[in-house]
Amino acid sequence: GSEWKKVNITYHFKNFSPDLTEAQIRDAVSRAFQLWADVTTLTFRETSDPKAADIVIRFATGVHGDGAFAAFDGPGGTLAHAFFPENGDLHFDDDETFSVGSEQDTDLFIVAAHEIGHSLGLEHSSDMGALMYPWYLGYQHDYALSQDDIDGIQQIYG
Ligand SMILES: CC(C)C[C@H](C(=O)NO)C(=O)N[C@@H](CC(N)=O)C(=O)NCc1cccc(N)c1
Ligand SMILES: [Ca+2]
Ligand SMILES: [Zn+2]
Ligand SMILES: [Zn+2]
């Protein structure tokens, strides 16, 4: 299956969203990576060099130059998508209104954590409690990985 052949993975922000400050976006994405780092031997580090980065993160709308994925669809519907390893690139639909830590709008931390699951090789889960469940069920305070998510990632990276 698709998995990274390395444990030290780097990511690069190609751009940011106007919905939040760069600091809020960096913090939400860093915390999302940390969820997965906590249950594997993987480490994640931001790099300013797009060429050195394993995972390139972008905010985009509509048609944005992807071959594999359909164009983004405006507000609602698809919120983001990510390529499996060893591409791993992660795109957020910037027609969504992203927020951090509020029931309002779409929580960037939770969406990022879900997409990073894909970037690491996880498919969707049928477990409604799982982060990898296909549907975003709204903001939850103190979000944590479900056992289903942990089992899934440890099957790949042991
Ligand atoms: C066919 C895929 C490109 C759909 C896309 C997705 O699964 N991206 O990973 C997506 O954005 N699905 C929406 C479905 C929806 N509109 O509820 C979603 O919320 N996925 C992200 C997400 C975020 C956080 C938690 C969960 N469970 C799912
Ligand atoms: Ca959308
Ligand atoms: Zn895309
Ligand atoms: Zn998904």
Side-chain angles (χ1 to χ4, degrees):
S2 61
E3 63 185 89
W4 292 95
K5 306 288 186 273
K6 58 169 84 170
V7 288
N8 301 319
I9 295 169
T10 57
Y11 61 94
H12 171 74
F13 289 99
K14 196 167 174 55
N15 65 351
F16 295 89
S17 164
D19 299 344
L20 296 162
T21 66
E22 279 193 27
Q24 285 176 309
I25 293 169
R26 284 199 159 86
D27 176 65
V29 169
S30 167
R31 287 185 292 115
F33 275 113
Q34 195 55 50
L35 279 182
W36 298 107
D38 288 347
V39 295
T40 60
T41 58
L42 299 174
T43 73
F44 303 98
R45 178 176 59 79
E46 183 181 350
T47 176
S48 56
D49 179 358
K51 286 186 300 301
D54 297 309
I55 295 173
V56 176
I57 297 170
R58 273 184 71 190
F59 290 85
T61 59
V63 176
H64 57 278
D66 275 356
F69 282 104
F72 280 137
D73 53 0
T78 296
L79 306 178
H81 54 223
F83 292 80
F84 288 124
E86 286 188 282
N87 176 328
D89 286 3
L90 202 166
H91 300 159
F92 293 102
D93 182 351
D94 218 356
D95 277 331
E96 309 305 327
T97 303
F98 290 109
S99 59
V100 282
S102 91
E103 282 77 9
Q104 284 300 103
D105 304 320
T106 302
D107 188 71
L108 184 67
F109 163 68
I110 295 177
V111 176
H114 173 92
E115 299 309 326
I116 291 164
H118 290 312
S119 300
L120 297 178
L122 286 180
E123 304 268 355
H124 283 148
S125 164
S126 56
D127 178 332
M128 266 195 78
L131 176 60
M132 296 315 292
Y133 186 68
W135 296 86
Y136 174 63
L137 301 175
Y139 174 70
Q140 290 170 48
H141 192 59
D142 284 342
Y143 201 90
L145 294 180
S146 73
Q147 195 54 49
D148 183 80
D149 301 308
I150 295 168
D151 295 346
I153 201 71
Q154 291 185 343
Q155 249 163 12
I156 305 176
Y157 298 100

